[in-house]
Amino acid sequence: MQKTISIWQPEYDFNVVLLVEILALKLRHDPDFKGIILPTSREARLTQFADDTTVISSTVASLKTSLQIINSFGTLSGLNLNKSKTKIMWIGSQKGNKDRIMGFKSITEPIKALGAFLSYDGDKNNEENFFS
C-alpha cells in the first residue's frame, strides 16, 4: 500500500503570506530603515512577491537595520533569511563598492529580483528583460 502526501498546503501558504506582510509592515515603518527616493518623490524600501523580498536601502546603517529586523523576524517566525541566496548590489555613489556587509557577497553582475534583471548597464537591462 502506498501513501500519498500532498505537497501543497494552502493553510501553510496563507500563513507564510501573512507573516511576510508583517515583516514588510515593520520594515516600512521603522524610522531607522531608509529606502531611496524615487523621481516621483516617493520612498522605495522593499519589493515583495510571496516570500521573496528585495530590500532597497540608502545607507549601510539602514541596510544593517533592515537585516537586524529580518533576523529578529526569523527568530520569532521561523522564516529565516536564506543567506546563500542573499546578495548586495551597491547603487548610486556606492556603485562598485566591494565591501561585505554582515558576511554577504557584493556583486556587480546582473541579478534577478522578482523576475526582472537588475544591472548597472541600461542596455543590458533592456536586453535581459525585454529582448531575450
Side-chain angles (χ1 to χ4, degrees):
M1 176 183 261
Q2 287 187 314
K3 186 175 184 177
T4 304
I5 299 172
S6 174
I7 293 182
W8 184 62
Q9 299 172 334
E11 67 282 353
Y12 171 78
D13 295 339
F14 183 69
N15 289 336
V16 169
V17 170
L18 284 177
L19 287 170
V20 173
E21 182 57 24
I22 292 169
L23 170 63
L25 288 169
K26 175 63 177 155
L27 287 168
R28 284 187 197 113
H29 293 96
D30 190 293
D32 295 325
F33 174 48
K34 308 281 188 212
I36 60 171
I37 304 300
L38 301 173
T40 60
S41 299
R42 294 192 60 186
E43 183 180 28
R45 292 182 181 207
L46 65 133
T47 62
Q48 285 186 304
F49 181 75
D51 65 342
D52 190 0
T53 301
T54 302
V55 171
I56 304 164
S57 179
S58 60
T59 66
V60 172
S62 181
L63 177 61
K64 288 180 179 180
T65 295
S66 70
L67 291 172
Q68 289 168 348
I69 291 168
I70 292 167
N71 287 335
S72 296
F73 172 79
T75 300
L76 295 171
S77 69
L79 298 175
N80 295 302
L81 181 67
N82 186 338
K83 293 182 180 183
S84 67
K85 288 178 143 184
T86 302
K87 299 175 184 110
I88 295 175
M89 177 182 253
W90 298 97
I91 59 175
S93 63
Q94 293 293 318
K95 177 181 162 184
N97 189 336
K98 301 278 192 244
D99 290 348
R100 293 177 70 94
I101 301 296
M102 299 177 83
F104 297 114
K105 180 181 178 186
S106 297
I107 59 164
T108 56
E109 68 270 7
I111 60 171
K112 192 170 188 178
L114 299 177
F117 283 94
L118 305 173
S119 168
Y120 295 126
D121 181 344
D123 291 335
K124 182 83 169 163
N125 280 341
N126 288 336
E127 178 184 325
E128 292 288 343
N129 290 311
F130 302 110
F131 303 114
S132 61

